[in-house]
Amino acid sequence: MTNMTKQQNILIIGAGLCGSLLALRLGQRGFNVTVMEMRPDLRKVDISAGRSINLAFSDRGNKAMKLVGIEDKVKDLCIPMNGRMLHDIEGNTVLAPYSGREHEFINSISRGELNALLLDEAEKHKNVSIYFNRKCKSVDFEKTTALFKDYTNNTEFVEDADVIIATDGAGSAMRKSYYLGKKFLFSFSQDWLTHGYKELSILPGENGSYKTYKNALHIWGRESFMLIALPNLDGSFTVTLFLSYDEGEYNFNNLTSKERVLEFFGKYFKDALELMPNLVDDFFENPTSPLGTVKCSPWHYKGNTLLMGDAAHAIVPFYGQGMNASFEDVVQFDKVLDEGHDDWETIFKIYEKSRKKDTDAIADLAIDNFHEMKGHVNHANFREKRTLEMALEKHFPNDYSSKYSLVTFNENVGYREAMLRGRAQDKAILNMLADGKLNIQDDLKLNLEKVKTETENILEDDRIAGLK
Amino acid sequence: MTNMTKQQNILIIGAGLCGSLLALRLGQRGFNVTVMEMRPDLRKVDISAGRSINLAFSDRGNKAMKLVGIEDKVKDLCIPMNGRMLHDIEGNTVLAPYSGREHEFINSISRGELNALLLDEAEKHKNVSIYFNRKCKSVDFEKTTALFKDYTNNTEFVEDADVIIATDGAGSAMRKSYYLGKKFLFSFSQDWLTHGYKELSILPGENGSYKTYKNALHIWGRESFMLIALPNLDGSFTVTLFLSYDEGEYNFNNLTSKERVLEFFGKYFKDALELMPNLVDDFFENPTSPLGTVKCSPWHYKGNTLLMGDAAHAIVPFYGQGMNASFEDVVQFDKVLDEGHDDWETIFKIYEKSRKKDTDAIADLAIDNFHEMKGHVNHANFREKRTLEMALEKHFPNDYSSKYSLVTFNENVGYREAMLRGRAQDKAILNMLADGKLNIQDDLKLNLEKVKTETENILEDDRIAGLK
């Protein structure tokens, strides 16, 4: 409840993407910022963080980069992906654009390069200090202190601060302290998909060339499992297999021999297999990791401590919004700081109240997209809907945005609003197509009006029924 | 993976309502059943279990009583409640029936009396042994053993079994072992309402008479908080206040003086206060307890262990279905046993697959009803809907059941189906009333057809959009 002044000492736990951006922004605002990161400095040591190598970077994330003034530097790390390259089982491909507006695309970016840039920028501020190899073991949220293990000398120490912000990811130590402390009612959920994932790779061609089309997110959707690939700057692609642990003919638990892995890929991902002579080595060297969603509330304890980023809301990767959502946390938090409140508790309360509905929504949208990517993208009615939406976005760029566009390219629309409007639009189009009330051969302007009217009806019906 | 035979030793953790019913049923089926309960024997010691004194008992619960052949004995413990007696702020009352069909009502029943009956019935079987004052501390689900503390001699012991079924309630020790063990991907959520509850009482009148109308569930709904009362056989009512911990003018955190409690009740529950001269004593003697929902999955570990009842799915009390849902677990489990599978793992898998969607649904419905009871029951459009539904149920008893009836009186319709159909009906009626497409003065048969047609449209639209 101390008055908030710039001289306050802020302890950030975790120097991943969210923590290093937060350190940079709070450094710019003049706070005394200390960051403790459990891993070694990724700028000095080549570490596989056990997390995805590359990520989808889009407009919400970019808004945060603009806020801290490094938009251009980040752009240099980006590879634009204009759409989904859909690979069918025969190896035929079709490019399904993400938007009907040409300037709307997503980017593939290296987690490590981006994190390094954020660390460099944060450390330019004298009032920001970053320590590596310090693992947080627990947080005393009543005393606003955190216990760390220092791996450099194998000792433990307690760090005191005016405020602690934990950006220590999906396995957050501070969130665990909230849960185990039982000092307040802490709502918490962890939900695992039946599918896990494994990272594989398509190596660069000669002279760093790309062995398949560079500017797309490649998808081999096979209903109950899928493979995707995102390009890297060196000409390689990071490939990810999403597959059930124990269901279906082929699953992670029974893909235990070289022969069976090759059989599986040969049967379902023939054209990908041809680009991956290194498949079997990758498959057996790389870990299989689970896919989980974490939600919790409250994020803060009084004005002492706050969870941000994945520590507060870990989501599955299928909307490409995990990093973008965490970056947007920092933008939203910064906006509340701008409001000039006197104490941290008020700031934390306002921040959570405005933010949580949106991070809950992107968590649910990401689960939706798992099913969309695996299978719906191959279905006739879904493809017809997308064809119509691309035409609407192209010809009426100011009047229509698909759910995907609302989520990905409309950084000034909250995730929750994007979810409600986007789902209503999808429902309107799919139903009017099914009922023959909409014909994609009809005049586009007429179809736009039909979709808008039906969408409003759906939203209004839900409001009256008290469902939304 | 042992073959399932009747000679198997089954260890049940917890002899509450679900555990004692399960012990009775498995005893009837010939299994060797051992039950360990942490509390003293409630038939010998007067214990307040820290849980609600009386409960709503309805058709799903009764189906379980029929299964074990004690329907008539349970009926003697029941007080029928035909509807909600709504008390407005002036003290005016109106009885809103639960159903338009006269034979459909719910019952108030004493938790303790019902539990005692189930224990008595279970113990009639020589192959059932029940031990009290044995608290489960943890379960080794790989070895199928459980660690207990024996309060009678302050020692600890390990109990071995072929199968362990935990019915140890919302705070289940075995669920905690699943969570902390991290041996498999365990999805888990605990969600707390911002409201807590406190039990109060209206004492009996002279000669055990009832000071207010006996055969109803009384509700004083005040939008952001509410009071309810259920009758007991001795002429008393158990009264429960549901109130926010820290929001609004009056809340549990600031009702700290006698004067303030009386002021609050005098302002909002005047007619109830007149019946409760003992209010202040009750208020400060009785605990304030939180209201939580627990969901998890999987419920079982291989064929070794299984969670049932509140241990698997704790819900808030607002649909009066907590006990009924746990009893229905036993009915459903018994049905899977009837199918004659060879091993416990298959039985547990089939049971969870068929059951979890329904317990998830009743958890969500119970949250819906919190809002309905607090406020919607007072709203004009909601009341108009209920008036129409009562008329439909009365005049077309085979053609219409409201959401409440589907959940409460249709024990052969699963909770999930009841939720989907019930919500669609509510949406259809509320929207047609709002749009003027339905007039409750119109011919009732016509209105029935309109409601049915619109309900089907809504369900079909959701199916096409892939939302349900």
Side-chain angles (χ1 to χ4, degrees):
Chain A
M1 316 270 201
T2 23
N3 278 336
M4 203 202 77
T5 68
K6 290 195 173 178
Q7 286 68 48
Q8 292 235 311
N9 295 309
I10 299 182
L11 171 61
I12 296 175
I13 304 171
L17 293 167
C18 183
S20 52
L21 172 65
L22 180 68
L24 168 55
R25 185 58 192 157
L26 295 181
Q28 290 175 337
R29 293 188 77 107
F31 291 103
N32 292 321
V33 179
T34 303
V35 186
M36 298 285 173
E37 164 60 40
M38 70 172 185
R39 297 190 177 83
D41 189 342
L42 54 77
R43 295 165 298 183
K44 297 174 184 164
V45 187
D46 184 26
I47 49 167
S48 150
R51 295 172 301 180
S52 52
I53 293 161
N54 57 18
L55 297 162
F57 175 77
S58 54
D59 296 27
R60 291 176 198 272
N62 198 46
K63 187 175 178 181
M65 299 304 102
K66 283 184 198 165
L67 175 71
V68 294
I70 59 169
E71 188 186 7
D72 290 341
K73 291 180 185 170
V74 173
K75 202 171 179 182
D76 293 340
L77 304 176
C78 287
I79 301 174
M81 299 186 289
N82 296 300
R84 296 166 170 164
M85 184 68 81
L86 307 176
H87 297 246
D88 76 11
I89 202 157
E90 312 291 342
N92 303 311
T93 58
V94 56
L95 182 68
Y98 280 121
S99 169
R101 288 174 284 264
E102 281 195 7
H103 63 280
E104 291 182 345
F105 52 84
I106 64 175
N107 302 278
S108 179
I109 196 166
S110 153
R111 177 195 289 273
E113 297 281 341
L114 180 56
N115 206 338
L117 172 62
L118 290 166
L119 290 170
D120 286 345
E121 295 292 323
E123 283 188 335
K124 286 182 183 169
H125 296 268
K126 284 188 180 157
N127 49 327
V128 175
S129 306
I130 307 176
Y131 302 91
F132 296 90
N133 301 299
R134 267 80 166 172
K135 180 186 167 65
C136 180
K137 300 190 68 175
S138 63
V139 174
D140 185 329
F141 45 85
E142 293 185 304
K143 292 184 182 157
T144 324
T145 60
L147 174 66
F148 290 90
K149 169 109 181 191
D150 184 340
Y151 288 133
T152 62
N153 58 15
N154 234 5
T155 57
E156 292 191 351
F157 65 98
V158 171
E159 185 79 8
D160 200 347
D162 295 310
V163 171
I164 300 176
I165 303 181
T167 52
D168 51 346
S172 173
M174 190 165 91
R175 199 185 63 230
K176 204 175 289 170
S177 293
Y178 279 6
Y179 181 80
L180 297 174
K182 302 199 175 178
K183 298 287 176 74
F184 57 95
L185 292 178
F186 185 56
S187 294
F188 169 73
S189 71
Q190 63 180 27
D191 277 292
W192 302 103
L193 294 185
T194 53
H195 285 53
Y197 73 96
K198 187 187 282 287
E199 289 197 346
L200 306 164
S201 58
I202 294 172
L203 298 176
E206 277 177 36
N207 304 318
S209 63
Y210 291 85
K211 286 193 190 161
T212 184
Y213 183 68
K214 174 185 178 185
N215 292 113
L217 192 156
H218 294 261
I219 305 183
W220 294 258
R222 298 295 181 263
E223 298 291 340
S224 57
F225 48 86
M226 72 169 166
L227 194 71
I228 68 168
L230 278 77
N232 297 311
L233 287 171
D234 67 358
S236 69
F237 290 81
T238 302
V239 178
T240 310
L241 172 65
F242 298 95
L243 180 68
S244 175
Y245 278 101
D246 56 11
E247 285 168 8
E249 189 185 351
Y250 298 91
N251 58 52
F252 277 123
N253 289 350
N254 70 24
L255 285 177
T256 51
S257 71
K258 177 181 166 175
E259 292 70 26
R260 229 175 121 67
V261 169
L262 289 172
E263 174 187 303
F264 174 53
F265 274 74
K267 194 162 167 184
Y268 290 105
F269 311 117
K270 199 162 167 288
D271 59 329
L273 177 59
E274 284 165 12
L275 306 176
M276 300 164 75
N278 48 315
L279 169 68
V280 170
D281 287 346
D282 281 354
F283 196 93
F284 291 106
E285 273 168 26
N286 294 345
T288 305
S289 305
L291 294 158
T293 301
V294 172
K295 294 178 182 172
C296 65
S297 175
W299 289 344
H300 67 99
Y301 179 75
K302 298 187 178 167
N304 300 358
T305 58
L306 175 70
L307 298 166
M308 278 180 84
D310 282 6
H313 48 76
I315 65 179
V316 295
F318 305 104
Y319 230 110
Q321 286 292 319
M323 169 180 63
N324 294 289
S326 291
F327 282 174
E328 198 177 60
D329 280 3
V330 178
V331 174
Q332 188 65 25
F333 186 66
D334 187 71
K335 204 171 133 191
V336 181
L337 288 179
D338 278 345
E339 292 169 9
H341 304 285
D342 283 340
D343 64 280
W344 289 108
E345 185 164 13
T346 303
I347 292 166
F348 293 172
K349 269 193 182 166
I350 292 173
Y351 167 69
E352 179 171 350
K353 193 167 168 55
S354 67
R355 186 68 183 142
K356 183 163 166 58
K357 63 179 189 333
D358 288 323
T359 57
D360 282 351
I362 191 60
D364 296 345
L365 284 164
I367 301 278
D368 288 0
N369 232 34
F370 174 48
H371 303 294
E372 180 167 326
M373 289 173 78
K374 272 191 300 141
H376 300 177
V377 288
N378 300 324
H379 298 173
N381 58 349
F382 179 86
R383 287 208 183 182
E384 206 173 9
K385 176 175 82 67
R386 286 301 286 168
T387 302
L388 174 64
E389 290 190 294
M390 290 307 102
L392 292 174
E393 290 187 337
K394 184 172 179 185
H395 295 284
F396 304 101
N398 299 319
D399 291 311
Y400 191 80
S401 288
S402 69
K403 183 173 80 176
Y404 190 88
S405 286
L406 288 167
V407 170
T408 309
F409 307 120
N410 285 265
E411 67 274 22
N412 297 319
V413 175
Y415 285 127
R416 181 170 162 80
E417 192 188 330
M419 177 180 77
L420 295 180
R421 169 158 299 274
R423 284 182 176 172
Q425 284 174 178
D426 284 354
K427 186 174 179 178
I429 298 173
L430 289 169
N431 272 287
M432 288 195 295
L433 286 173
D435 298 348
K437 290 181 187 162
L438 195 65
N439 185 328
I440 60 167
Q441 314 302 336
D442 283 351
D443 176 69
L444 200 57
K445 177 84 183 156
L446 174 72
N447 279 346
L448 174 68
E449 292 310 319
K450 281 184 181 174
V451 171
K452 291 185 88 163
T453 303
E454 187 61 16
T455 299
E456 287 308 320
N457 288 343
I458 288 168
L459 289 170
E460 178 67 7
D461 285 359
D462 282 348
R463 271 192 293 269
I464 287 172
L467 292 177
K468 293 286 150 51
Chain B
M1 315 266 204
T2 24
N3 278 336
M4 204 203 75
T5 68
K6 290 195 174 179
Q7 285 68 49
Q8 292 236 309
N9 295 310
I10 299 182
L11 171 61
I12 297 176
I13 303 171
L17 292 166
C18 184
S20 52
L21 173 65
L22 181 67
L24 168 56
R25 186 57 193 157
L26 295 181
Q28 289 175 338
R29 293 188 77 108
F31 291 104
N32 292 322
V33 179
T34 303
V35 187
M36 298 285 173
E37 164 61 39
M38 70 172 183
R39 296 190 178 83
D41 188 343
L42 54 76
R43 295 165 299 183
K44 296 174 185 166
V45 186
D46 184 25
I47 49 165
S48 149
R51 295 173 302 180
S52 53
I53 293 161
N54 56 20
L55 297 162
F57 175 78
S58 53
D59 296 26
R60 291 175 198 271
N62 198 46
K63 186 174 179 182
M65 299 303 103
K66 282 183 200 167
L67 175 70
V68 294
I70 59 169
E71 186 186 7
D72 291 340
K73 290 179 185 171
V74 172
K75 202 171 180 183
D76 293 340
L77 304 176
C78 286
I79 301 174
M81 298 185 290
N82 296 299
R84 295 166 170 164
M85 183 68 80
L86 307 175
H87 297 246
D88 76 11
I89 202 158
E90 312 291 342
N92 302 312
T93 58
V94 55
L95 182 68
Y98 279 121
S99 170
R101 289 175 282 264
E102 281 194 8
H103 63 280
E104 291 182 345
F105 52 85
I106 65 174
N107 303 277
S108 178
I109 196 166
S110 152
R111 177 195 290 272
E113 297 280 343
L114 180 57
N115 206 337
L117 171 64
L118 290 166
L119 291 169
D120 286 345
E121 295 292 324
E123 283 187 334
K124 285 182 184 170
H125 296 268
K126 283 189 180 155
N127 49 328
V128 175
S129 306
I130 307 177
Y131 302 90
F132 296 90
N133 302 298
R134 266 83 166 171
K135 180 186 167 66
C136 178
K137 301 190 69 176
S138 64
V139 174
D140 185 329
F141 45 84
E142 293 186 303
K143 292 184 182 157
T144 322
T145 60
L147 174 66
F148 291 90
K149 169 111 182 191
D150 184 339
Y151 287 134
T152 62
N153 59 14
N154 235 4
T155 58
E156 292 191 352
F157 66 98
V158 171
E159 185 80 8
D160 200 347
D162 295 310
V163 171
I164 299 176
I165 304 181
T167 53
D168 51 347
S172 172
M174 190 164 90
R175 199 185 62 230
K176 204 174 292 171
S177 293
Y178 278 7
Y179 181 79
L180 296 175
K182 302 197 174 180
K183 298 288 176 74
F184 57 95
L185 291 179
F186 185 56
S187 294
F188 168 73
S189 71
Q190 61 181 29
D191 276 292
W192 303 102
L193 294 185
T194 53
H195 286 53
Y197 74 96
K198 188 186 281 288
E199 289 197 346
L200 306 165
S201 59
I202 295 172
L203 298 177
E206 278 178 34
N207 304 318
S209 63
Y210 291 84
K211 285 193 190 162
T212 184
Y213 183 69
K214 176 185 176 184
N215 292 113
L217 191 157
H218 294 262
I219 305 183
W220 293 258
R222 299 294 180 264
E223 299 290 341
S224 57
F225 48 87
M226 73 168 164
L227 194 71
I228 67 168
L230 278 77
N232 297 312
L233 287 171
D234 67 358
S236 68
F237 290 81
T238 302
V239 179
T240 309
L241 172 65
F242 297 95
L243 180 68
S244 173
Y245 278 101
D246 56 11
E247 284 169 8
E249 189 186 350
Y250 298 91
N251 59 52
F252 277 123
N253 288 350
N254 70 24
L255 285 176
T256 51
S257 71
K258 177 181 165 175
E259 292 70 29
R260 231 176 120 65
V261 171
L262 289 172
E263 176 188 302
F264 175 52
F265 274 74
K267 195 163 167 184
Y268 290 106
F269 312 118
K270 200 161 165 289
D271 60 328
L273 178 60
E274 285 165 11
L275 306 176
M276 301 166 76
N278 49 315
L279 168 68
V280 170
D281 287 347
D282 281 355
F283 196 94
F284 291 106
E285 273 169 24
N286 294 344
T288 305
S289 305
L291 293 158
T293 301
V294 172
K295 294 178 181 172
C296 65
S297 176
W299 289 343
H300 67 99
Y301 180 75
K302 297 186 178 168
N304 301 358
T305 59
L306 175 69
L307 297 166
M308 278 179 83
D310 283 4
H313 48 74
I315 65 178
V316 294
F318 304 105
Y319 231 110
Q321 286 292 320
M323 169 180 63
N324 294 290
S326 290
F327 282 175
E328 198 177 61
D329 280 3
V330 178
V331 174
Q332 188 64 26
F333 186 67
D334 187 72
K335 205 171 132 191
V336 180
L337 288 179
D338 278 345
E339 293 169 9
H341 304 285
D342 282 338
D343 64 281
W344 289 107
E345 185 165 13
T346 302
I347 291 166
F348 293 172
K349 270 194 181 165
I350 292 173
Y351 166 70
E352 178 169 351
K353 193 167 168 55
S354 67
R355 186 67 183 144
K356 183 163 166 58
K357 65 180 188 330
D358 287 322
T359 58
D360 281 351
I362 191 59
D364 296 345
L365 284 164
I367 301 278
D368 288 359
N369 232 34
F370 174 48
H371 302 294
E372 179 167 325
M373 290 174 78
K374 272 191 301 141
H376 300 176
V377 287
N378 301 323
H379 298 174
N381 58 349
F382 180 85
R383 287 205 182 184
E384 205 174 9
K385 176 175 82 69
R386 286 301 287 168
T387 302
L388 174 64
E389 290 190 294
M390 290 307 103
L392 292 175
E393 290 187 337
K394 185 173 178 183
H395 295 283
F396 304 101
N398 300 319
D399 290 310
Y400 191 79
S401 288
S402 70
K403 184 174 79 175
Y404 190 88
S405 287
L406 288 166
V407 171
T408 310
F409 306 121
N410 285 265
E411 68 273 20
N412 297 321
V413 175
Y415 284 127
R416 183 171 160 80
E417 192 188 331
M419 178 179 77
L420 295 181
R421 170 159 296 275
R423 284 182 176 173
Q425 284 175 178
D426 285 354
K427 186 175 178 177
I429 297 174
L430 288 169
N431 272 287
M432 288 196 294
L433 286 173
D435 298 347
K437 290 181 187 162
L438 195 64
N439 184 330
I440 61 168
Q441 314 302 336
D442 283 353
D443 177 70
L444 201 58
K445 177 86 182 154
L446 175 71
N447 280 344
L448 174 68
E449 292 310 320
K450 282 185 181 173
V451 172
K452 291 184 88 161
T453 303
E454 187 60 16
T455 298
E456 286 309 320
N457 288 343
I458 288 169
L459 289 170
E460 178 66 7
D461 285 358
D462 282 347
R463 270 191 294 269
I464 288 171
L467 292 176
K468 294 285 149 53

